[in-house]
Amino acid sequence: MKRAGVLILAAVPVVLLAATAYGSSSTAHDDPRPAHPSAAAQRRAPESLAAPAMKNLAQELVASAENSTLDWHSAYGYVQDIGDGQGYTAGIIGFCTGTHDLLVLVERYTSAHPDNGLARYLPALRQVDGTDSHQGLDPGFPAAWRAEAKVPAFQAAQDAERDRIYFDPAVSAARRDGLGPLGQFIYYDAMVFHGPGTDGFYGIRTRAMQRAEPPAQGGDEKAYLSAFLDVRRATMRAKHPGIDTSRVDTAQRKFLEEGNLGLRTPLVWKVYGETYRVP
């Protein structure tokens, strides 16, 4: 993805999937500043957020901000134009018709399942890619998406694209930087919201490293993550003045201030004024 970001005012909690700006010249694996872990960092081998229970927790945390729910499985059929200039936002991670990732998802899914209910919209999806246009998609695309989202193979396709574009690159980058589960989640949430590329996640990471060194370079993990969150919050506010930044302020920042670098449960946090708990 992705995304331009959703302007969610703190006084008005709503169920929305955010959208981020997807750099056409970058992929999720582009990294303008590759890390070079020290021998000590390599020996440390941080625990991976990809462990099944931890990965499910990561999806719950993202869903609390993206969908105002912990039931992230309920979002496969989500589809709505949320007015952020990215066309339709859909699915478990907010794939967008205007940001290329939704097109790639449907293309890859159609390659494996040619007779699916979204295949007929591929010409229109290619035409509107990079815009907020609904041309060729209305009125049938939302209903077709919701219907196809009931198919297990399409749910699996959404999972695979989420992992390929967002989750796996974010976790890999965080582990190279010597970060534990909380840091890996902080990277993942930033990748989801801002997208990859030098104007997205990797740009935020580079600017954070100018303020503090990550553990892989001998720095303090908590200090580095605090710098990363500072840069990310400023980036959100610079692009969208007035945006609700509680997914950083009263969720990730809270875990960091508690010293919960392992992202251990139980967890209690707030997003858009609503309290969430994982026992």
Side-chain angles (χ1 to χ4, degrees):
M1 267 178 223
K2 210 125 140 196
R3 305 186 172 197
V6 177
L7 304 185
I8 308 178
L9 300 182
V12 188
V14 291
V15 179
L16 291 178
L17 282 104
T20 56
Y22 184 85
S24 59
S25 62
S26 301
T27 70
H29 301 282
D30 290 338
D31 185 347
R33 182 170 176 168
H36 300 285
S38 65
Q42 290 177 10
R43 287 195 300 271
R44 176 187 171 183
E47 180 182 353
S48 176
L49 196 68
M54 296 298 292
K55 186 174 183 178
N56 184 71
L57 175 61
Q59 307 316 317
E60 292 178 326
L61 287 165
V62 168
S64 72
E66 296 283 303
N67 303 87
S68 295
T69 181
L70 297 182
D71 182 13
W72 62 271
H73 295 91
S74 67
Y76 287 112
Y78 177 90
V79 55
Q80 184 178 351
D81 188 329
I82 60 178
D84 62 352
Q86 306 296 342
Y88 281 117
T89 296
I92 57 167
I93 211 67
F95 303 102
C96 297
T97 58
T99 58
H100 195 61
D101 57 346
L102 190 148
L103 170 60
V104 172
L105 167 63
V106 176
E107 285 180 333
R108 291 169 69 92
Y109 178 60
T110 300
S111 178
H113 304 277
D115 297 328
N116 75 83
L118 295 172
R120 66 182 181 273
Y121 291 101
L122 276 172
L125 289 171
R126 294 183 181 114
Q127 186 66 33
V128 304
D129 191 28
T131 77
D132 63 355
S133 174
H134 292 189
Q135 186 173 356
L137 299 176
D138 289 342
F141 178 76
W145 180 279
R146 287 190 289 269
E148 199 64 29
K150 297 176 182 178
V151 178
F154 188 50
Q155 295 177 9
Q158 290 192 43
D159 291 345
E161 285 301 286
R162 172 202 62 203
D163 291 351
R164 185 181 71 87
I165 301 175
Y166 305 109
F167 186 81
D168 291 348
V171 170
S172 294
R175 297 193 78 197
R176 288 197 305 272
D177 289 344
L179 302 176
L182 175 59
Q184 293 167 39
F185 173 72
I186 285 173
Y187 271 26
Y188 174 45
D189 190 69
M191 184 79 83
V192 167
F193 188 87
H194 298 275
T198 56
D199 59 344
F201 163 76
Y202 287 115
I204 294 171
R205 176 172 172 256
T206 296
R207 294 193 295 277
M209 287 183 177
Q210 293 169 350
R211 298 188 179 193
E213 291 183 336
Q217 296 177 17
D220 177 78
E221 184 171 9
K222 189 172 182 180
Y224 170 72
L225 289 175
S226 182
F228 186 94
L229 292 178
D230 286 345
V231 173
R232 184 185 172 190
R233 188 178 189 275
T235 300
M236 294 171 72
R237 288 287 177 90
K239 183 170 287 189
H240 299 288
I243 191 172
D244 186 310
T245 58
S246 58
R247 69 194 294 157
V248 171
D249 304 332
T250 53
Q252 296 167 45
R253 177 78 69 182
K254 178 178 183 291
F255 304 149
L256 183 62
E257 290 176 349
E258 292 169 348
N260 191 357
L261 298 176
L263 203 60
R264 301 301 183 191
T265 56
L267 295 174
V268 180
W269 71 97
K270 289 184 178 181
V271 184
Y272 315 139
E274 185 172 351
T275 299
Y276 296 90
R277 294 178 174 84
V278 172

